[in-house]
Amino acid sequence: MKNIRNFCIIAHIDHGKSTLADRLLEYTHTVSKRQAQAQVLDDMDIERERGITIKSHAIQMNYPFEGENYVLNLIDTPGHVDFSYEVSRSIAACEGALLIVDAAQGIQAQTISNLYLALEHDLTIIPVMNKIDLESANPEEVGDQIIDLLGCNREEIIPASGKSGLGVFDILKAIIERVPAPKGDINAPLKALIFDSVYNSFRGIIAYYRIIDGVLRKNDLVKFVATKKEYNAEEIGILRLDKEPRNEVCAGDVGYIISGIKESKEVKVGDTITTVNNPCEGFITGFEDVKPMVFAGIYPVDTDDYEELRSSMDKLQLNDASLVFEPESSAALGFGFRCGFLGMLHMEIIQERLEREFNMTVITTVPNVSYEAYLNSGENYTVNNPSDMPDPSRLDRIEEPYIKASIITKSEFTGSIMSLCINKRGHIINQTYLTTDRVELIFHMPLAEIVFDFYDRLKTISKGYASFDYHPIEYRPSDLVRLDIRLNGEPVDALSALIHRDNSYNFGKKICEKLKELITRQQFEIVIQASIGAKIIARETVKALRKDVTAKCYGGDISRKRKLLEKQKAGKKRMKVVGNVEIPQQAFLAVLKLD
């Protein structure tokens, strides 16, 4: 066990984690020249196309050092704020972390938040300054930033380049010398932490674990503590580039188990595995449940595909434990699911994966967040959907989730970023100059204001130089109203939204104008209204297509023309009562792009 090292790689987006992981695999001869390609560990098409890591990937490397053979278990992690749950799971299975900082861009928001995650778990941090060979690299200044952040010596920072391979042997040496070996008792009863799982259509569910104590042997009868289910360990092994079966996996190691599990509910990430004959006492704690930030409805385009969508979501949840969903129905869209996501990118990725991996075409409704409603009777409950909003006469107050947002940017963009945040109902809490031209702004702002287009607009006004990170703090009372959109007096539940009273008039007017453009003209007039309760706050009218019924009258008495026009008017009125207005699919998406 003294020769095992478990470590992960943490960094901000695009600071070169996956490229450096490629070099580590290449220099330890884990990957042959034939298998080598850019982003070896990113095995999804979307990851390769977008150049981002979505899933954590574990792999074992062997490395001889000073006459001894060492086993290095590496977990590569995502950098985007929406996938920080993946990072927290990886950190729980490690003793050390490589903190990678781009020598050109310096420390950014996600660098700091991932570092704090690692420090909470008492991980040994090895600072690495990557992309040192870039012409725009500024090693002196970035080195000072790392020293200020970590309080380390300059000698401890390893200069490296994932592209050219510079400094990779220094990193391997630092991992062996600085990261502690796993502490565990090989003779104690088996205790292992599940940190990930994947679905395989032939083998069922494959769980990835890190053994804390004891030994797991092939064909052992094992028990999953949280679900209390028992299984036979049909195949166990370690994670190389492909799965490598073994007869036993010992304390301190990272491996996989296949036991023919078919039901996704039976494997919970963060659960403990032990043996039935000699169970361990208590289970591993300190593993938190995921808190979804953004909620949206996902519906099949064809309602007959509902059951197929359910099984696709179950399989996707195994691969991505941060996806939360429950069934719901909508008058406009039929049966579907109410899903919880960690952010807008997460929502986009899930939608894309459903289409690519399961051939499911889906409609996504307007995203929103969950609120706490307090009634006059003293009861309170969570409002996930605008249709759950109680009657205003019974409502005492409604509270919305607030977040603490950290934005790191160049000082020249401070003014425009402040005005953006204040427009989004944010309050500035702190402003710190990290260097002469880099400033960190801390805001408290409602989560509902950032779920639409906040990140895109932040990138635009800062020319791509602002990095953004957030975490939830508390619920605060707010003056929220339910805005309904009505077509000919009938509310369309899929377009309802909970919104702050100050923004409701503007928002309602914009939606009505947008729908007027998108809804095709009918034989009858369509009235589009935005209302708060019974009060109409905005209205647009789609005029009827009109046949010129008086065209055949050449002169003659006016009463004849009037008779024809009155007859047409009565027909249009009758048609308006029975007519049905189809809302095009673009209308649901257009609401997101109102600005």
Side-chain angles (χ1 to χ4, degrees):
M1 244 175 88
K2 69 178 185 1
N3 285 8
I4 296 176
R5 300 287 182 271
N6 296 319
F7 70 99
C8 59
I9 300 182
I10 54 177
H12 189 78
I13 314 156
D14 205 26
H15 279 207
K17 292 179 296 301
S18 300
T19 315
L20 201 65
D22 290 353
R23 291 295 83 73
L24 290 170
L25 298 177
E26 188 186 314
Y27 283 44
T28 54
H29 306 294
T30 309
V31 175
S32 67
K33 281 269 189 274
R34 188 172 55 82
Q35 295 166 315
Q37 55 173 334
Q39 292 171 270
V40 175
L41 295 178
D42 292 349
D43 49 13
M44 271 187 252
D45 292 343
I46 310 177
E47 291 183 314
R48 296 191 163 282
E49 282 169 26
R50 293 182 174 227
I52 56 174
T53 303
I54 294 166
K55 285 284 302 163
S56 299
H57 297 273
I59 190 162
Q60 190 175 96
M61 306 178 282
N62 292 341
Y63 184 61
F65 180 72
E66 293 181 353
E68 288 196 52
N69 282 324
Y70 287 88
V71 173
L72 311 178
N73 288 312
L74 153 71
I75 303 179
D76 179 26
T77 65
H80 196 280
V81 59
D82 282 12
F83 305 113
S84 55
Y85 183 64
E86 289 281 332
V87 182
S88 71
R89 287 167 27 190
S90 309
I91 284 172
C94 295
E95 279 86 29
L98 294 181
L99 179 74
I100 295 184
V101 181
D102 187 324
Q105 297 183 38
I107 284 170
Q108 294 190 282
Q110 202 59 25
T111 316
I112 297 172
S113 74
N114 284 346
L115 170 69
Y116 287 150
L117 268 178
L119 291 174
E120 277 171 27
H121 285 78
D122 292 331
L123 265 61
T124 303
I125 309 291
I126 300 173
V128 176
M129 200 190 304
N130 197 19
K131 305 191 186 180
I132 200 85
D133 52 350
L134 286 182
E135 284 181 17
S136 56
N138 192 347
E140 286 299 316
E141 192 179 312
V142 174
D144 291 340
Q145 289 177 25
I146 297 172
I147 291 163
D148 286 348
L149 184 66
L150 289 176
C152 60
N153 300 324
R154 193 172 285 275
E155 297 74 55
E156 290 175 37
I157 302 170
I158 303 170
S161 165
K163 207 168 192 178
S164 66
L166 173 79
V168 173
F169 288 120
D170 295 337
I171 292 172
L172 290 165
K173 182 183 176 195
I175 290 165
I176 290 166
E177 290 177 351
R178 297 190 211 171
V179 176
K183 296 181 182 71
D185 183 357
I186 205 161
N187 300 315
L190 174 70
K191 184 190 276 190
L193 165 77
I194 300 178
F195 68 88
D196 205 355
S197 59
V198 292
Y199 179 78
N200 182 306
S201 46
F202 302 106
R203 312 289 311 263
I205 289 152
I206 304 170
Y208 296 163
Y209 54 80
R210 151 80 197 276
I211 299 188
I212 310 294
D213 294 322
V215 180
L216 175 61
R217 293 183 177 86
K218 191 176 176 179
N219 296 324
D220 271 356
L221 192 61
V222 295
K223 179 182 179 182
F224 287 27
V225 176
T227 55
K228 298 186 170 54
K229 300 269 186 186
E230 296 179 6
Y231 307 100
N232 185 36
E234 289 170 19
E235 184 185 308
I236 60 167
I238 57 158
L239 298 154
R240 305 296 288 238
L241 199 55
D242 294 316
K243 295 173 186 66
E244 199 172 280
R246 294 278 171 92
N247 287 327
E248 58 175 45
V249 182
C250 304
D253 234 329
V254 173
Y256 71 92
I257 176 170
I258 300 175
S259 43
I261 307 169
K262 293 283 183 282
E263 281 292 313
S264 58
K265 296 180 187 69
E266 293 177 23
V267 176
K268 281 191 164 58
V269 169
D271 196 358
T272 308
I273 306 177
T274 188
T275 48
V276 174
N277 301 333
N278 185 13
C280 62
E281 289 182 11
F283 50 89
I284 301 158
T285 54
F287 206 84
E288 57 193 54
D289 268 346
V290 59
K291 294 186 190 74
M293 291 286 185
V294 174
F295 292 87
I298 285 188
Y299 293 85
V301 171
D302 184 352
T303 44
D304 297 345
D305 294 339
Y306 175 70
E307 283 304 322
E308 203 178 320
L309 179 62
R310 180 195 286 276
S311 74
S312 303
M313 299 278 274
D314 275 336
K315 289 167 189 170
L316 202 53
Q317 192 177 34
L318 274 173
N319 198 257
D320 183 351
S322 50
L323 172 66
V324 188
F325 64 91
E326 58 186 39
E328 73 163 1
S329 64
S330 147
L333 302 168
F335 289 103
F337 295 96
R338 179 111 200 119
C339 306
F341 307 100
L342 298 181
M344 289 295 278
L345 178 72
H346 187 214
M347 174 176 138
E348 205 180 304
I349 295 290
I350 293 291
Q351 196 176 341
E352 205 164 320
R353 285 182 71 182
L354 280 171
E355 285 180 12
R356 286 187 187 211
E357 294 171 30
F358 303 100
N359 291 327
M360 294 297 311
T361 334
V362 292
I363 295 172
T364 311
T365 63
V366 181
N368 59 13
V369 300
S370 54
Y371 302 92
E372 288 292 324
Y374 291 83
L375 306 180
N376 295 329
S377 59
E379 294 173 66
N380 72 308
Y381 66 93
T382 306
V383 177
N384 282 331
N385 206 340
S387 56
D388 302 339
M389 179 85 161
D391 188 88
S393 59
R394 295 168 49 220
L395 188 65
D396 173 39
R397 70 182 190 281
I398 189 159
E399 295 188 350
E400 64 176 328
Y402 266 69
I403 56 160
K404 181 183 179 185
S406 154
I407 299 169
I408 297 179
T409 184
K410 289 197 165 183
S411 49
E412 64 198 82
F413 306 118
T414 310
S416 48
I417 288 174
M418 275 188 182
S419 59
L420 170 69
C421 294
I422 289 161
N423 287 342
K424 296 278 186 186
R425 298 192 284 131
H427 305 287
I428 186 152
I429 302 299
N430 198 358
Q431 180 177 352
T432 321
Y433 276 85
L434 303 173
T435 63
T436 49
D437 68 335
R438 283 169 70 79
V439 63
E440 181 182 29
L441 303 167
I442 305 285
F443 285 92
H444 283 180
M445 51 201 303
L447 178 62
E449 295 288 346
I450 70 157
V451 297
F452 283 145
D453 58 349
F454 178 80
Y455 193 58
D456 292 342
R457 287 178 63 190
L458 178 70
K459 284 287 183 199
T460 309
I461 60 177
S462 66
K463 298 180 183 166
Y465 276 107
S467 60
F468 173 64
D469 181 49
Y470 63 88
H471 61 264
I473 43 174
E474 61 188 352
Y475 279 78
R476 294 183 187 175
S478 190
D479 186 12
L480 296 169
V481 290
R482 176 174 150 189
L483 182 77
D484 285 317
I485 301 297
R486 297 167 183 271
L487 294 181
N488 285 347
E490 289 296 313
V492 183
D493 63 344
L495 288 174
S496 297
L498 283 173
I499 192 162
H500 196 269
R501 195 183 294 275
D502 294 351
N503 300 344
S504 58
Y505 291 89
N506 203 0
F507 189 70
K509 190 169 185 297
K510 281 184 180 172
I511 289 192
C512 289
E513 286 169 359
K514 198 76 182 173
L515 286 177
K516 185 183 177 183
E517 292 170 26
L518 293 169
I519 291 175
T520 47
R521 289 172 71 184
Q522 308 284 342
Q523 291 286 335
F524 53 91
E525 188 179 78
I526 302 168
V527 177
I528 306 164
Q529 294 166 315
S531 68
I532 297 172
K535 184 182 178 187
I536 305 296
I537 60 167
R539 169 182 167 139
E540 292 288 337
T541 309
V542 180
K543 293 287 181 203
L545 289 168
R546 185 171 169 274
K547 183 183 174 187
D548 189 0
V549 287
T550 59
K552 61 187 176 186
C553 301
Y554 296 101
D557 191 36
I558 186 69
S559 60
R560 188 166 168 231
K561 289 184 181 176
R562 191 169 290 139
K563 185 181 169 188
L564 286 168
L565 289 167
E566 290 297 328
K567 191 179 173 188
Q568 183 189 36
K569 193 175 172 184
K572 297 244 182 250
K573 198 170 181 181
R574 196 166 55 248
M575 204 186 278
K576 188 174 176 178
V577 175
V578 296
N580 197 3
V581 187
E582 285 289 317
I583 302 177
Q585 163 64 22
Q586 307 100 287
F588 298 107
L589 303 173
V591 179
L592 303 182
K593 301 185 174 75
L594 278 181
D595 283 340

